[in-house]
Every structure is written in structure tokens, then in C-alpha cells.
């Protein structure tokens, strides 16, 4: 099987500070990859490089699939703004908004289908600021789904969400991973133990870990604490 994302000898710097160095990574269809590592290690930067929001200093990134969904850590959405869940999702529609006539019936049907996929269709007309953190995150995922992605990149999707909301989001991503490739930047160890298929540790360089190795380390740390 050929990878859908291939990264070769990637390096990136902010001015003179090296953020990523000699990154090599292959991502395959239906992977559920968790990217972990310390703050400032380059995890979010790696996602932005894949999205071509940043340009590498050197190295190559080859992406077979054109449609990539992205859920940033900071959505830059004012929760006091009177916008509904449906309207938020429509903002992510590939076709964009028509200048004179608003959104078409097909656009709205696509947005509703995305909300249905994340279990939020019944909240379509509810103001985004009135939803819980977990519900809002589902709406943001639905917005990304409007791009019909083959690959979904998510940067800390459960930050500032309660435990139940976190579980709901990751259960959703597990279901979506049967239809597309999921790449998640996360500090949440439960992602690794219960949902991810592969794990990459990024701290300037990148190292792969088997889930069995991580589970064993977590078990040993727990036993030491006891």
C-alpha cells in the first residue's frame, strides 16, 4: 500500500530557531495517528506544513489526496456572535457562499449531512455559544467534513473539554477513521491507549512508538505510583 502523505527529510525554522529537523513520516489510508510531544516541540507546526500554511526550509512533502480537513486548536470564533451550528458548518463548504443568493439547497444539504455524521443535526439551529464544549467541537469537525476530506488533521481537539466531551469526540473520530485518515495532535494519553492505531513523538525530531510499548510504560508508571 502506498502512503497518502509522505514527508522526507523535512526541516523548518523560525528565523534562526530550528523547530523541526530531519522529519520523515508516512501516513496511510485509514490511519489513526496520534502525534504527541512537549509544548514547543513542533507538533502544530508539522500539521501546518502538511496543510502548506507554512513552507519548509528543506525537504519534501508529497500528498496524494487533495481534500484535507483541518480543525485548528484555536477556531477564532466569537461565541457571543449570533451564529447557528448550521451556519458555522456552511462556512467550511468547499463551494463557498454565493454573493447574491446565499447558500444553495445542495450546500445546506451537505452541511446537514455533515452535522448528521457527527450527531449534531438536531442542534443545527442552535446558537454556537449555547452548545457545550464537546458539542461545539463536533460542529467544528462537521465544518471540516464539508470539504469532503480524505485526511482529517486535528490540533488538540479536546482542549478545554470535560472528560465526557473528550470521550465523545474521540469515539466520533474512531468512527470517522473507517472512512478517512485521522491525524490528531494531543496530550491526552487516553487517545493513545484507546483510539490511535499509530503514535509519533515529535520534539524537533520524530520517533515512532508502538502502542504496546506505551501501554507497558503507562502500566509501569502506575505501579510505581502505587
Amino acid at each position: 500500500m502506498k502512503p497518502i502523505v509522505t514527508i522526507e527529510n523535512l526541516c523548518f525554522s523560525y528565523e534562526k530557531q530550528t523547530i523541526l529537523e530531519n522529519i520523515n513520516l508516512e501516513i496511510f489510508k485509514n490511519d489513526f495517528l496520534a502525534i504527541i510531544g512537549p509544548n514547543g516541540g513542533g507538533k502544530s507546526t508539522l500539521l501546518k506544513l502538511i496543510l502548506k500554511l507554512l513552507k519548509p526550509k528543506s525537504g519534501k512533502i508529497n500528498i496524494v489526496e487533495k481534500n484535507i480537513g483541518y480543525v485548528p486548536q484555536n477556531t477564532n470564533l466569537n461565541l457571543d456572535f449570533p451564529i447557528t451550528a448550521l451556519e458555522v458548518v456552511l462556512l467550511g463548504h468547499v463551494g463557498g457562499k454565493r454573493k447574491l443568493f446565499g447558500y444553495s439547497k445542495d450546500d445546506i444539504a451537505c452541511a446537514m449531512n455533515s452535522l448528521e455524521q457527527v450527531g449534531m443535526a438536531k442542534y443545527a439551529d442552535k446558537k454556537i455559544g449555547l452548545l457545550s464544549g464537546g458539542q461545539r467541537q463536533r460542529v467544528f469537525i462537521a465544518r471540516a467534513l464539508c470539504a469532503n476530506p480524505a485526511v482529517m488533521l486535528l490540533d488538540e481537539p479536546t482542549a478545554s473539554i470535560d472528560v465526557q466531551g473528550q470521550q465523545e469526540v474521540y469515539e466520533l473520530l474512531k468512527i470517522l477513521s473507517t472512512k478517512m485518515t485521522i491525524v490528531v495532535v494531543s496530550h491526552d494519553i487516553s487517545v493513545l491507549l484507546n483510539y490511535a492505531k499509530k503514535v509519533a513523538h515529535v520534539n524537533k525530531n520524530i520517533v515512532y512508538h508502538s502502542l504496546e510499548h506505551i501501554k507497558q510504560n503507562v502500566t509501569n508508571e502506575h505501579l510505581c505510583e502505587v
Side-chain angles (χ1 to χ4, degrees):
M1 181 185 298
K2 293 184 178 181
I4 59 176
V5 178
T6 304
I7 300 175
E8 298 179 347
N9 303 318
L10 180 71
C11 296
F12 179 82
S13 301
Y14 281 120
E15 297 180 351
K16 295 182 179 181
Q17 182 181 3
T18 300
I19 305 300
L20 294 170
E21 187 173 44
N22 196 33
I23 300 295
N24 291 279
L25 176 65
E26 290 183 335
I27 303 173
F28 294 86
K29 183 178 181 180
N30 296 125
D31 270 352
F32 192 144
L33 172 66
I35 298 177
I36 63 173
N39 290 334
K43 304 184 300 300
S44 297
T45 299
L46 181 58
L47 290 193
K48 291 177 182 177
L49 285 162
I50 294 173
L51 289 162
K52 298 183 178 180
L53 298 175
L54 296 173
K55 185 177 180 180
K57 178 181 179 182
S58 62
K60 297 180 181 179
I61 301 177
N62 182 50
I63 303 173
V64 176
E65 299 290 350
K66 294 182 178 180
N67 292 347
I68 299 179
Y70 177 47
V71 181
Q73 183 175 357
N74 183 5
T75 60
N76 294 316
L77 183 66
N78 184 351
L79 298 181
D80 293 325
F81 190 75
I83 186 172
T84 66
L86 176 60
E87 290 167 335
V88 169
V89 175
L90 282 167
L91 292 174
H93 197 278
V94 172
K97 186 174 181 180
R98 299 182 181 182
K99 293 182 179 179
L100 296 179
F101 305 105
Y103 295 101
S104 69
K105 290 182 179 179
D106 288 342
D107 292 342
I108 295 172
C110 175
M112 286 301 299
N113 179 59
S114 295
L115 284 169
E116 186 71 39
Q117 288 185 66
V118 302
M120 288 296 293
K122 64 181 179 181
Y123 298 100
D125 296 324
K126 193 166 184 177
K127 297 293 187 294
I128 191 71
L130 298 178
L131 299 175
S132 69
Q135 289 172 332
R136 283 197 298 271
Q137 199 63 25
R138 283 171 170 265
V139 171
F140 297 140
I141 292 172
R143 180 176 65 178
L145 286 174
C146 262
N148 297 314
V151 182
M152 179 82 78
L153 307 179
L154 305 99
D155 192 356
E156 295 286 359
T158 58
S160 302
I161 298 178
D162 62 29
V163 175
Q164 181 178 349
Q166 291 175 14
Q167 184 176 358
E168 291 173 354
V169 168
Y170 286 127
E171 288 289 348
L172 169 61
L173 294 179
K174 184 176 181 180
I175 294 171
L176 291 177
S177 71
T178 64
K179 306 174 185 178
M180 64 188 71
T181 300
I182 302 292
V183 180
V184 181
V185 166
S186 180
H187 290 92
D188 188 352
I189 195 69
S190 67
V191 182
L192 314 180
L193 299 182
N194 300 318
Y195 301 102
K197 297 176 183 177
K198 299 179 180 179
V199 180
H201 183 274
V202 175
N203 186 14
K204 186 182 289 187
N205 303 114
I206 190 168
V207 178
Y208 281 102
H209 295 284
S210 70
L211 292 181
E212 290 76 13
H213 173 76
I214 291 174
K215 288 179 179 179
Q216 184 62 47
N217 281 351
V218 170
T219 300
N220 290 340
E221 287 174 6
H222 177 70
L223 289 174
C224 289
E225 289 174 358
V226 175

